[in-house]
Amino acid sequence: MATIAISSCSEDTTDLGNSLTYGVDQFVIKSDTFDIETRSIVADSVLSRSNYSYLGRMKDPETGSYVTADYTTQLAILEDDDYFVPRDVLLSLDEDGNPASDSCFMNIVINSYMGDSLAAMKLNMRELGKPITEDRLYYTNFNPAKAGYIREDGIFEKKIYSITDLTDSDSLRALKKKGAYFNSIRIPLNDPYTDKDGVTYKNYGSYIMRKYYDHPEYFKNSQTFTEKVCPGFYFQTTDGLGVMAEVLRTQLEVNMHFKVDTNVVVSAPQMFNGTEEVLQTSHFVSDMDNIKRLASDETCTYLKTPEGIFTEVTLPVEAIKQGHENDTIASARIVFRRMNDRFELSDEVLEEPANLLMIERDSLYSFFEGRSLPNNKTSYLATYNKDKNSYTFNNISGLINHMYARRGKEENWNKAVLVPVQVTRAAATSTTTAATVATVSNELKMTSVRLVGGKQNQHAPVRISVVYNQNK
C-alpha cells in the first residue's frame, strides 16, 4: 500500500493541461509578425460633442496657422425646481414693485488652458435669437453667426480678459493654484435689457425673474426654458493671441435679496448653468491648406486636433489569415511609436493626445454620431505611455476576424483609423473593480503627435505581432 501511495503522488506536471482536454482540442502556439501600411488623412471637421467648450486663439507651431475657437451654449433647468423664492418674501423689486435682479453676470468657468495665462484676449458675447435645435448633428465647422442664429438687436457685450486675473488676492491665487478654485471670465449684464416683445427690464437678470414669476411653466425643464425664455448665447473670439481655454461650464448668475423672517434679510445668487447636459457647439477656424500640406508628409503620420489629422492603418488581414484559416488568433498586437517633434516649439505648446481610438475606416463618423463605446471587436482604446513614448493596442484579433469575414465587400474593408479622443469613466462600484468607460468623444483641444510610419518611413516598419492557437 505504501508503494502504491508513493507512486501515485508523482510531481510531474508536464501533461497536466493535455490531461484536462480531449485530444482533438489540443493545439500548438505559433507566432508571426507582419508589416502594416499607415498614412495621414484629413478631416475638415469633427463632431462638436464634448464635455468641454473652447475659447481663444493660438498659433500652431507645426502649421504656422492660427487656430480660433468659439462656442455656443444653452442653459440647463432642473425639472420642476424652485428657482426663486416665493413672491411674498422677495425684496428685489423695481420702482413699480416688479421682481428685479440686484445684479446679473455671465461667468465663463475655466477648467484648464494652454498658452499664456496673461495674454490679453477679446470676445463678443451675443444672444441667440432662436434655439439651436437638437434634431441634427453639429460639427466643428458649424458657424452660428453665418447660420442666422444671432439676435441682431439682442445682448451684445464686449469683454477684454486674461485667464489670470491680476486683481486676485494672494489667498485666492493660492486656492486656484491648488485647483480648489477655478479661473473665470466675468461679464456684467447690468444694462437695461429689451426682450423680443419690446418690453424693457432693469437688466437681463430682471427679465429672467419676471418670466419665472409670470410664467413658472416656462421653467418646467431645459426644453421649455430654451424655447420660451433663453435660446442661449454665443461667445466669439474677436482679438488676441496666445491662449486657448477649456471651458468647464458657462454660468448665468442672477443676484437678489429676500427676507427669511422679519429680522433677517439674505442676499443670494441663483445660477443657471450651461453644461454638457444641454446643447453646446464648439466652432474652430484654422488654415486647412496648411493642415493638408502637413498631412502630405509621407516620412511619418500625424494625429492632430482639433483640425482633424488622423492616421489610417491598412491591416494585412489576408496575409495574417493565410494558412491559418482554421486556427484561432489568440492575440494581435500593434505598437505605434512616437517620433521626436520636428518643430522647436511643438513640445512646449502641443501635448500628445492622451487617448486613441482605433475604429474601422467606414465608422469614422457613425461611431461618434451614435454615441458608441469601444467593444473590443471593431473598436479599441489605447492610452499614451510616456515612459515608452508609444500607444499600444494589445489585442485587436476581433477586428482581424471581423475584417476577414467581410473581405472585398467594401472598398475600405481592411482599413482602420486612429482618432484622438476624450474619455470619461464611471467610478468603480461594489460590483466592478475598475472604472468603466462612460463616454468617448472627439478630442477638441489642441494636441499633436508624429508617429513612425508613412510610405517613406525611414525607421523600423510598423508591425503587427500575431499569436495563433494552431489545432493539431
Side-chain angles (χ1 to χ4, degrees):
M1 292 178 63
T3 303
I4 294 172
I6 293 172
S7 63
S8 66
C9 293
S10 170
E11 295 184 358
D12 186 2
T13 60
T14 55
D15 294 327
L16 180 59
N18 290 341
S19 68
L20 298 177
T21 61
Y22 292 106
V24 294
D25 292 331
Q26 295 174 14
F27 52 80
V28 175
I29 296 176
K30 290 192 174 183
S31 63
D32 205 346
T33 59
F34 303 87
D35 293 352
I36 64 176
E37 298 177 8
T38 61
R39 70 183 184 107
S40 297
I41 60 173
V42 176
D44 65 346
S45 60
V46 295
L47 188 64
S48 179
R49 182 189 290 154
S50 172
N51 296 324
Y52 305 102
S53 301
Y54 294 85
L55 183 70
R57 179 182 290 128
M58 289 193 68
K59 185 176 182 179
D60 184 339
E62 293 181 332
T63 64
S65 60
Y66 298 105
V67 180
T68 303
D70 316 312
Y71 76 97
T72 71
T73 186
Q74 298 173 358
L75 301 178
I77 290 287
L78 298 177
E79 294 208 11
D80 300 317
D81 196 11
D82 294 325
Y83 274 87
F84 294 102
V85 297
R87 178 70 174 79
D88 58 352
V89 302
L90 181 68
L91 298 177
S92 296
L93 306 171
D94 64 15
E95 60 273 11
D96 297 322
N98 296 313
S101 172
D102 299 335
S103 61
C104 182
F105 299 89
M106 187 69 79
N107 302 312
I108 302 173
V109 182
I110 307 301
N111 182 63
S112 64
Y113 67 89
M114 60 186 307
D116 182 3
S117 66
L118 296 177
M121 305 295 293
K122 185 176 180 180
L123 66 81
N124 287 345
M125 173 184 164
R126 304 294 303 273
E127 179 185 2
L128 299 184
K130 57 183 178 180
I132 297 176
T133 58
E134 298 192 35
D135 58 356
R136 54 160 287 193
L137 297 169
Y138 299 91
Y139 279 72
T140 52
N141 58 3
F142 170 71
N143 186 328
K146 290 184 177 180
Y149 282 92
I150 306 301
R151 182 187 167 197
E152 297 300 333
D153 59 346
I155 292 175
F156 187 173
E157 294 290 338
K158 298 181 179 181
K159 176 71 175 181
I160 297 175
Y161 69 93
S162 62
I163 300 298
T164 297
D165 188 345
L166 295 178
T167 64
D168 286 345
S169 64
D170 290 342
S171 59
L172 183 55
R173 288 185 192 178
L175 288 173
K176 289 181 176 179
K177 190 173 182 179
K178 293 178 181 178
Y181 196 88
F182 290 100
N183 288 302
S184 63
I185 304 165
R186 192 167 171 85
I187 305 171
L189 299 175
N190 294 314
D191 293 333
Y193 171 76
T194 302
D195 67 12
K196 290 189 288 186
D197 297 325
V199 180
T200 300
Y201 304 83
K202 175 185 173 182
N203 54 30
Y204 188 73
S206 300
Y207 161 74
I208 296 292
M209 293 179 67
R210 284 278 296 276
K211 287 295 183 183
Y212 176 82
Y213 288 110
D214 293 346
H215 297 281
E217 69 275 12
Y218 292 173
F219 290 70
K220 179 181 179 181
N221 53 45
S222 296
Q223 182 177 352
T224 56
F225 181 75
T226 301
E227 292 175 351
K228 301 293 186 180
V229 181
C230 175
F233 297 92
Y234 175 41
F235 300 88
Q236 180 185 25
T237 298
T238 57
D239 204 356
L241 177 66
V243 69
M244 183 74 72
E246 186 175 69
V247 178
L248 177 64
R249 62 180 176 271
T250 309
Q251 192 174 65
L252 177 65
E253 173 188 333
V254 180
N255 293 293
M256 58 184 172
H257 63 284
F258 51 91
K259 60 184 178 182
V260 176
D261 57 37
T262 55
N263 297 317
V264 179
V265 174
V266 175
S267 295
Q270 179 56 265
M271 300 295 191
F272 299 84
N273 291 305
T275 63
E276 60 181 308
E277 283 78 19
V278 291
L279 182 62
Q280 297 175 310
T281 67
S282 288
H283 171 230
F284 292 92
V285 177
S286 54
D287 190 331
M288 290 306 300
D289 289 337
N290 284 340
I291 293 167
K292 291 176 182 177
R293 191 175 301 115
L294 193 69
S296 66
D297 182 359
E298 295 185 340
T299 62
C300 63
T301 67
Y302 280 90
L303 296 170
K304 195 169 185 64
T305 63
E307 296 96 328
I309 302 182
F310 305 142
T311 290
E312 181 186 83
V313 180
T314 302
L315 295 168
V317 176
E318 291 180 311
I320 292 172
K321 293 292 289 185
Q322 186 175 10
H324 297 279
E325 292 82 357
N326 298 320
D327 299 335
T328 301
I329 299 178
S331 71
R333 184 173 183 266
I334 309 178
V335 178
F336 294 96
R337 291 175 292 141
R338 175 183 177 172
M339 294 175 62
N340 293 331
D341 290 313
R342 175 178 300 168
F343 301 92
E344 183 179 349
L345 293 176
S346 292
D347 247 346
E348 298 177 19
V349 176
L350 301 173
E351 297 179 358
E352 66 282 334
N355 300 286
L356 286 191
L357 176 73
M358 179 186 287
I359 52 176
E360 295 177 281
R361 178 69 173 83
D362 290 339
S363 300
L364 181 56
Y365 297 101
S366 61
F367 179 91
F368 299 101
E369 292 176 354
R371 300 180 184 270
S372 302
L373 296 176
N375 58 16
N376 292 325
K377 178 182 177 182
T378 58
S379 51
Y380 301 80
L381 275 178
T383 56
Y384 180 65
N385 187 318
K386 290 187 176 182
D387 295 329
K388 297 182 178 180
N389 288 326
S390 63
Y391 301 89
T392 300
F393 292 88
N394 281 308
N395 191 359
I396 64 165
S397 58
L399 181 59
I400 299 297
N401 290 327
H402 174 76
M403 287 180 168
Y404 186 70
R406 66 185 190 98
R407 62 191 182 282
K409 295 180 180 178
E410 294 95 13
E411 180 182 357
N412 298 315
W413 68 272
N414 62 343
K415 291 179 171 56
V417 181
L418 304 182
V419 183
V421 291
Q422 290 179 352
V423 178
T424 60
R425 290 178 167 85
T429 65
S430 58
T431 58
T432 60
T433 57
T436 58
V437 174
T439 64
V440 175
S441 57
N442 287 103
E443 179 64 79
L444 296 185
K445 71 179 180 182
M446 289 182 66
T447 68
S448 185
V449 67
R450 288 197 308 153
L451 300 178
V452 171
K455 279 188 177 181
Q456 299 179 26
N457 175 30
Q458 299 174 4
H459 303 271
V462 183
R463 291 190 174 101
I464 182 169
S465 301
V466 181
V467 175
Y468 304 92
N469 288 340
Q470 189 175 38
N471 294 324
K472 283 186 177 181

